[in-house]
Structures are given as C-alpha cells and as structure tokens.
C-alpha cells in the first residue's frame, strides 16, 4: 500500500497499529525494540513523552481535537509513514528473527537503501548494485524500485 502511493492516513493508522503490536510483544518477551534505541538516544525524555511523539498523528486520527475544533489539521508526510513502517518492520524482525516474513525483510532492506544514514550498510549497497539509482532517486522513483524489489522477492528471484 505504501509503495503504491496509497492513502496516507490509512497507511499511517495500519503502520502504527503494527508497530504497537510488535513493540508490545518484544517488550513482553524482553527483546530490545526500536523504542529502546530512541530512549537511549534521548535519555532526558520520559517513556510517555516518547510514546506521545510516536503516536501523535495516530492519536489525532483516533480522537477528536481536545478543544472540539472540527477543522483541526495535522501535517503527515511521506517520511512519517516510511519511518513508522520501518519501526514496525524493525520490531517484527526483532521478535520473529529467522521467521521474519520475506516482505518485512524486503521493506527493511529497501528502507536502508533509500535512507542516506544507511548508505554504508551492506544491504543498501547490495540493493544499489541490483537497482542502480535506488538510493538517489526521487520519492516516486524509490517507490518504483521498491515495487520492483517486492515483485522480485515474491517471484523468488531474490
């Protein structure tokens, strides 16, 4: 849905739900989750503050504006959805390890290949070699590469 440019609110809502499920299961199993990386990076923030930040848009869509403003708006970017999907996929991989679905693994690889902070990662370099331009393309081009990559994964080519 994300790679096809689907509805941003639906994508965000589903990604947040998945992130919440995987995060809670990791927490219950004592498995480090992405939240733990955030908490370590921002030690001055309390857990509630971190979760409020992570869930800000999700909560806006779920609950009416506190002041009753029916015209209230929130900014939700493509990057917000891309990151929220990565958080869910990261915790899914942490929880399921070797049983992580191939499509989740594919999303994680695609995310790393399209984010400059991960350009040195072997996975990102491998995808750049297979799909030249994936790391430097526009958002639409990166999604196109992502769709091709997912199709290749589904077809068993990768």
């Amino acid at each position: 849905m994300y790679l096809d440019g689907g509805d941003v609110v639906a994508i965000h809502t589903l990604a947040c739900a998945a992130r919440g499920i995987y995060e809670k299961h990791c927490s219950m199993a004592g498995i480090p989750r992405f939240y733990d990386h955030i908490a370590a990076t921002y030690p001055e923030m309390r857990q509630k503050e971190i979760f409020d930040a992570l869930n800000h848009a999700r909560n806006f869509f779920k609950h009416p504006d506190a002041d009753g403003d029916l015209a209230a708006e929130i900014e939700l970017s493509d990057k917000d959805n891309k990151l929220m999907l990565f958080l869910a996929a990261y915790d899914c991989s942490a929880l399921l390890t070797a049983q992580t679905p191939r499509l989740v693994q594919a999303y994680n690889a695609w995310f790393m290949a399209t984010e400059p902070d991960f350009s040195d990662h072997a996975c990102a370099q491998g995808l750049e070699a297979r799909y030249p331009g994936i790391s430097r393309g526009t958002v639409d081009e990166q999604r196109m590469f992502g769709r091709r990559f997912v199709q290749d994964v589904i077809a068993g080519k990768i």
Side-chain angles (χ1 to χ4, degrees), residues 2 20 43 47 54 58 83 97 103 108 136-137 140:
Y2 172 78
Q47 180 175 335
L54 286 173
R58 181 198 74 168
L83 179 60
T97 61
L103 290 179
N108 286 342
R136 298 175 309 281
D140 289 336

Side-chain angles (χ1 to χ4, degrees), residues 4 13 38 42 45 50 75 80-81 93 109:
D4 287 333
T13 301
I38 297 169
Y42 301 99
M45 291 182 73
I50 294 170
E75 185 175 323
D80 295 325
N81 283 342
S93 295

Side-chain angles (χ1 to χ4, degrees), residues 112-155:
M112 287 190 272
T114 59
E115 286 297 311
D117 290 343
F118 293 99
S119 62
D120 290 339
H121 193 280
C123 184
Q125 292 175 353
L127 277 180
E128 179 63 36
R130 186 176 193 99
Y131 305 96
I134 190 171
S135 64
R136 298 175 309 281
T138 65
V139 169
D140 289 336
E141 290 168 338
Q142 289 178 338
R143 282 187 177 161
M144 182 266 308
F145 283 122
R147 286 190 301 273
R148 282 185 36 210
F149 178 46
V150 165
Q151 290 167 351
D152 288 347
V153 167
I154 291 170

